[in-house]
Amino acid sequence: MPSNHNSIKTRFTYRFARSLKKLNKNRPASQSMKETYRRYHMIRVASYASMASAVGPKRAWSRAVLWKIRNRTLHRTLMKKSRIHVLRTRKVSGNPNDLRKLVPGGEGMDFCRLLNETAHYIKCLRTQVQIMKNIVDHCSN
Amino acid sequence: MSSRRSRSRQSGVSRITEDQIADLVSKLQQLIPEIRNRRSDKVSASKVLQETCNYIRNLHREVDDLSDRLSQLLETTDSESAQAAIIRELTNVNLELRCLYFLDCYSLGFGQYIIYSPT
């Protein structure tokens, strides 16, 4: 639905611009490597978070992204545990498994749902990239 | 295959049919620029899935790269032109009437009120 996607685009732009403005305000005096990396990381998280919250809770992938970000510590612990398990059981990764890992929330879905969510996720990712490109272009001029 | 179909007819519950999956796969194919223009019978489903994975990975990489450039730009450009760039992007986005409500609520603090006409 094109009208839905336009409103997603708008909401994303507002939220992302707001995050950038906040990040820009708290500019640290030092330009150390650590600060640069930290700022890069925060911009990246803000970008994904803005898109997920612009989409809202109606999509499984956006819910998964928001959950991951809001429960960062818990998520990190769970990831550590699952990584140990994966190292022990070497699974041959076929196509559906790769896709499940790439699409947020993809692990617990049936295949049909996964394809559906993937299509929407790709559309939103494209929008995200396009708008970020536009901002970078405007900043560089 | 036929037993699966007759089972679904009996139970009345919608099962995942081959057609549904083929339909979704073709929708995915339309989204991926690499294989968008090839005919669907020439591109196998597994190729579509593979290209989808590659495409998503590329998009993730682009987001990382753009975040990196943004962080460098925000460091080097002064705050005035950065804010101006962000405003310019906001004016380019196709707005609907209710986004004027957003403007009132968030009032971006740039000290300007932007008037939009919905296009």
Side-chain angles (χ1 to χ4, degrees), chain B residues 1-118:
Chain B
M1 174 100 105
S2 58
S3 63
R4 201 195 304 158
R5 294 235 174 96
S6 64
R7 230 184 291 143
S8 68
R9 237 180 277 138
Q10 281 172 3
S11 63
V13 175
S14 64
R15 294 207 183 255
I16 301 175
T17 61
E18 303 266 321
D19 298 331
Q20 264 179 298
I21 293 192
D23 184 45
L24 287 169
V25 168
S26 73
K27 279 210 187 101
L28 265 185
Q29 189 181 341
Q30 294 303 311
L31 287 173
I32 302 170
E34 302 264 307
I35 50 180
R36 197 188 342 230
N37 298 317
R38 303 199 210 147
R39 279 202 346 242
S40 57
D41 52 349
K42 281 192 183 160
V43 185
S44 70
S46 73
K47 182 85 162 89
V48 173
L49 289 181
Q50 203 178 334
E51 290 299 326
T52 310
C53 291
N54 291 338
Y55 189 49
I56 294 183
R57 282 192 203 109
N58 282 338
L59 287 174
H60 285 169
R61 230 174 297 155
E62 281 205 64
V63 171
D64 290 347
D65 182 50
L66 285 167
S67 308
D68 191 30
R69 286 168 68 186
L70 263 178
S71 76
Q72 289 173 1
L73 279 171
L74 285 184
E75 258 177 58
T76 52
T77 52
D78 55 281
S79 59
E80 281 301 317
S81 47
Q83 285 176 2
I86 293 174
I87 291 181
R88 219 175 308 157
E89 176 53 29
L90 289 175
T91 59
N92 287 343
V93 173
N94 191 9
L95 290 180
E96 299 163 41
L97 269 171
R98 62 191 137 130
C99 288
L100 291 173
Y101 173 71
F102 277 160
L103 273 175
D104 285 341
C105 288
Y106 296 151
S107 97
L108 299 167
F110 296 147
Q112 312 170 29
Y113 283 100
I114 308 166
I115 318 267
Y116 294 96
S117 58

Side-chain angles (χ1 to χ4, degrees), chain A residues 9-66:
Chain A
K9 219 177 0 171
T10 311
R11 287 200 294 267
F12 166 72
T13 312
Y14 271 109
R15 283 160 217 245
F16 188 50
R18 212 162 33 131
S19 317
L20 284 182
K21 179 175 164 254
K22 228 186 286 183
L23 285 169
N24 205 20
K25 209 189 293 187
N26 311 329
R27 210 189 291 198
S30 64
Q31 306 286 355
S32 63
M33 281 284 275
K34 190 173 175 196
E35 277 301 325
T36 316
Y37 180 75
R38 192 162 167 274
R39 180 197 298 259
Y40 151 74
H41 177 73
M42 289 175 78
I43 292 183
R44 188 161 62 104
V45 169
S47 160
Y48 285 114
S50 306
M51 183 47 93
S53 79
V55 167
K58 60 180 180 251
R59 283 279 169 179
W61 70 261
S62 56
R63 290 197 297 267
V65 170
L66 290 173

